[in-house]
Amino acid sequence: MTLRFRLFLWLLLALGLLLIPLAVLTVQQAQSAVQSTLEQALLPRLAFLQSQSGGKPVPLERVQELVQEFGGVGFVFNQGTYSFTSRGDYLPPEDLASTIALGISYRGVLGNTLWVAVPREAGGEVRGAVGLAVPLLEVSALPHRLLRLYLWVGGGLGLLAFAVGAWGLSLSLRPLEAVSQELARRGPENLEPLPAPGLLEARPAVEALNTLMRELNTALSRLKVQEQAARRFAYGASHELRNPLAALKGYLEVLQRRPSEVRALSGALRELGRMEALLEGLLTLARLEGQGRVEARSLELSEFLPAVWEGPLEGQGTVRADPALLRIAVENLLGNALRHGGGATRLVLEPEGKGVWLWVYDQGPGFSPGMLERAFEPFVKHSDSSGVGLGLALVGALAQALGGKAQAENPPEGGARVGLWLPSA
C-alpha cells in the first residue's frame, strides 16, 4: 500500500467523520425545530379559542377550523371525558389529564402524533381543556428528505473536497517523488548528497540519508586506499622476497657442486637472515594492523629512553604508550639513522599540543623529496640500502597503534630527523 493511497484513505475517513455526525445533528435539530414551530403555532390559537368561550367548553365546530388548517383531529376535554372532531379510536397520552389538572398547557408526542392542549379555567378552577392531535408525518419524513439532500448535495461537495484534498496531497508529495527519482537514476557509485527537498518534514530524513552517504563515501575511499596499499604491499613483499630466494638458490647450487665452499654457506645464511628479518617485519605489520589501538600506560620518556639510547637526550615528557611497542619503534628509528644517516646524534623531546614529539636526529645527507612523502610506506628505501624497507613502516604502524603519528623532515642545519608523536599522559 503506497503512502499516497494511505493518505487518501485518511482524507476520506476524515471527511466521513465530519459529514456523518453533521448530518445526524442537522436532522435532529430540524425535527426539533419543526416540532417546536408547530407547537408555538398551535398553543396561541388554542388559547385564543379558550378565551372566546368565556369559561365554557369550546364548541367542536370552532376546533374543526384548526383541524382544517393544521390537520389531525381536535378534541375537547370536559369532566374527564374526551370529545373528538371526528370518529375514531383515539388514545390520548396518559399524562395529559394530570398535566391539565395542574393548569399547565400540555405538549407531548405519542407515536407519530403531537398532542397539544390548553386548560380551561372557570371560577379559579380547571374545568377542562381544548386541544389538537397533529400527525408528525412530515417531521418523520424529514430525515429521509434530508438524507437524499445530503446524498446529492453533500456527496457532491464531499467529492469536490476529496478531489481538492487529493490534489493538494499529490502536490505535497512531489518533493518525496523527486527524491525517489533522484535515487532511482543514480548508480551504486554515485554517493553525492541529495538536494534539500521542499517538504520540511522530509528534510531530516534526507539529511540523515546524506550523512549516511557521506560516511559510505568515506568508507569506500578508505577501502580503495587500503586496497591500493595492499596491492603495493603484496607487490613489494613478493619483490623483496624474490631477491634473497634467488640468491639463496644460487648459493645452494654452489654448495651442491662444492660441498666445502664456505663463502657460499655464509652467503646462504646471510640471505636466510635477511628473509627472516623481512618475514618478521611483515608479521609485525600485520599484527599491528589487525589489533588496532593497544593498551597503554604512563611512561616518563627521560627515564625510559636511557635503556635504549646512551647518547644525548634533550627535554622531557610523559606519554601514554605500551613499553614493548615503544621500544621497538625507538630501536627502528635508531637503526634507520644508523643505516642511512651515519648514526643518531641526539634525541629531543618536544611537547606539542596534547602530546610529545620524540625526534631522532642524524648526520646523513637527509631524505630526497620523493622519499619524504613515502618514508613510512612499506618497502620504500634508499637506492644504496641493503635493508628490507620496513623500518620506518613499522614506526608508522606503531605510532598509529599507540594513538600517535610519525613524521620525517630535513632540518635546516643538515642531516635528517624522524619523529614519533605520542599523546601525553
Side-chain angles (χ1 to χ4, degrees), residues 142-180:
L142 186 61
H144 301 285
R145 295 173 58 185
L146 289 178
L147 179 60
R148 289 194 297 269
L149 182 64
Y150 263 89
L151 287 177
W152 289 102
V153 180
L157 293 177
L159 287 176
L160 179 61
F162 180 79
V164 173
W167 177 71
L169 286 176
S170 298
L171 288 181
S172 301
L173 291 175
R174 283 187 179 179
L176 293 180
E177 293 179 352
V179 173
S180 178

Side-chain angles (χ1 to χ4, degrees), residues 214-386:
R214 283 194 292 268
E215 293 176 355
L216 288 175
N217 194 19
T218 302
L220 288 176
S221 299
R222 290 176 179 174
L223 285 176
K224 291 180 180 178
V225 172
Q226 292 176 358
E227 182 181 1
Q228 294 174 356
R231 289 178 180 176
R232 290 197 302 268
F233 185 85
Y235 175 78
S238 62
H239 178 74
E240 292 297 326
L241 285 172
R242 185 182 296 112
N243 291 333
L245 282 175
L248 180 60
K249 181 181 179 181
Y251 287 129
L252 292 176
E253 290 176 350
V254 172
L255 287 175
Q256 187 179 18
R257 294 192 300 267
R258 301 178 183 178
S260 60
E261 182 64 46
V262 178
R263 293 177 55 187
L265 182 60
S266 61
L269 292 174
R270 183 177 64 252
E271 295 300 328
L272 282 175
R274 183 181 173 188
M275 289 178 61
E276 183 180 9
L278 178 60
L279 290 175
E280 183 65 27
L282 291 175
L283 290 174
T284 305
L285 278 177
R287 185 168 60 251
L288 290 174
E289 292 177 354
Q291 71 181 7
R293 295 287 293 273
V294 298
E295 294 294 331
R297 62 183 179 88
S298 177
L299 288 177
E300 176 57 50
L301 292 179
S302 59
E303 298 177 359
F304 173 81
L305 291 175
V308 186
W309 164 253
E310 298 179 356
L313 176 62
E314 303 175 13
Q316 60 183 1
T318 305
V319 299
R320 290 191 59 81
D322 179 85
L325 296 183
L326 180 59
R327 184 183 184 93
I328 295 174
V330 175
E331 288 176 350
N332 276 273
L333 288 175
L334 295 174
N336 180 78
L338 179 62
R339 285 190 298 272
H340 309 299
T345 57
R346 58 192 173 109
L347 269 62
V348 178
L349 301 178
E350 182 181 313
E352 180 182 288
K354 297 182 179 181
V356 178
W357 278 104
L358 166 59
W359 293 104
V360 176
Y361 287 79
D362 63 37
Q363 52 190 355
F367 291 92
S368 63
M371 278 291 298
L372 273 177
E373 298 177 357
R374 303 179 58 199
F376 298 96
E377 292 183 12
F379 310 114
V380 175
K381 54 186 179 179
H382 291 277
S383 57
D384 58 346
S385 173
S386 59

Side-chain angles (χ1 to χ4, degrees), residues 183 186 190-197 202-220 222:
L183 289 174
R186 290 189 174 191
N190 189 353
L191 296 176
E192 296 180 1
L194 296 170
R203 290 186 179 179
V206 173
E207 290 176 358
L209 186 60
N210 286 337
T211 301
L212 177 61
M213 289 196 294
R214 283 194 292 268
E215 293 176 355
L216 288 175
N217 194 19
T218 302
L220 288 176
R222 290 176 179 174

